[in-house]
Amino acid sequence: MAFDGDVWQWHQDYGTWKNDDLMPEARAMNVAIFLDEVKEFNGPLMLIPGSHKLGVIEADHDISTTSYPLWTINHDTIRKLVERGGIVAPKGPPGSMILFIPAWCTPRLRTSPLEPVSVYLSLCAVSNHIRRFKRPGYIAHRDFTPLKCLPDDCLLAHCDVPLPWRDGTPPEELQGELRAA
């Protein structure tokens, strides 16, 4: 949300996937699709170029700074990484897409009065799926069925696509450990 959105400290997504979800390896990727124009002043994402080459960085569990518990990277490490690689803010018109691996160091700052809408997907190999289900299903999904490609003409012709959550998020997906225990 504009003005009042959470600030997510510098982190690597894999820190949470490893420590909270027990994902075996950092063999995964994130996809961000911009539904609105994203500029450096309204973009919720920044990256430190080259930070992904260091692999998984030691992280501490921050459960008090924001409403979302996050495995964060200490300020000294981030400072050194920024001195070496700088910071970039992905930008683009609606429909733009970025792909990035979960070893990039990123924060999410949502205090701008401008509010872009983006869709984020996190994907991994079926063999690398999460093993613990602490977080709600709408954040850490429990269906590990491989994705199937649609026909090349799927945007030009009718294509039946199953929509498991057609009527919104089911109440049981809003729970964490209760369902998965």
Side-chain angles (χ1 to χ4, degrees), residues 21-172:
D21 303 330
L22 297 182
M23 181 184 281
E25 299 178 54
R27 291 184 317 115
M29 65 185 256
N30 291 310
V31 179
I33 303 168
F34 303 157
L35 301 183
D36 293 320
E37 183 172 10
V38 174
K39 303 175 184 180
E40 57 274 334
F41 303 112
N42 70 354
L45 182 65
M46 294 186 290
L47 302 169
I48 299 175
S51 62
H52 65 293
K53 294 179 182 178
L54 299 174
V56 180
I57 298 172
E58 184 72 29
D60 296 312
H61 202 205
D62 184 338
I63 58 173
S64 61
T65 303
T66 63
S67 63
Y68 192 85
L70 195 61
W71 290 86
T72 61
I73 300 170
N74 73 59
H75 294 178
D76 288 336
T77 300
I78 294 300
R79 191 174 295 111
K80 289 174 187 171
L81 290 171
V82 170
E83 285 172 3
R84 189 170 69 193
I87 299 175
V88 296
K91 301 175 275 297
S96 297
M97 177 175 75
I98 59 172
L99 305 169
F100 58 102
I101 63 173
W104 279 98
C105 292
T106 67
R108 288 184 179 87
L109 307 173
R110 292 313 316 249
T111 56
S112 169
L114 307 170
E115 188 170 336
V117 175
S118 299
V119 173
Y120 284 87
L121 303 169
S122 298
L123 308 168
C124 71
V126 172
S127 60
N128 195 44
H129 70 78
I130 62 176
R131 305 309 202 256
R132 183 182 342 175
F133 308 101
K134 266 174 88 166
R135 301 185 302 148
Y138 72 94
I139 294 174
H141 204 34
R142 283 105 164 109
D143 181 354
F144 308 119
T145 306
L147 297 176
K148 294 181 182 174
C149 291
L150 295 175
D152 289 343
D153 66 348
C154 67
L155 297 177
L156 301 173
H158 176 74
C159 188
D160 284 325
V161 178
L163 300 173
W165 293 3
R166 178 186 307 260
D167 299 318
T169 306
E172 63 272 12

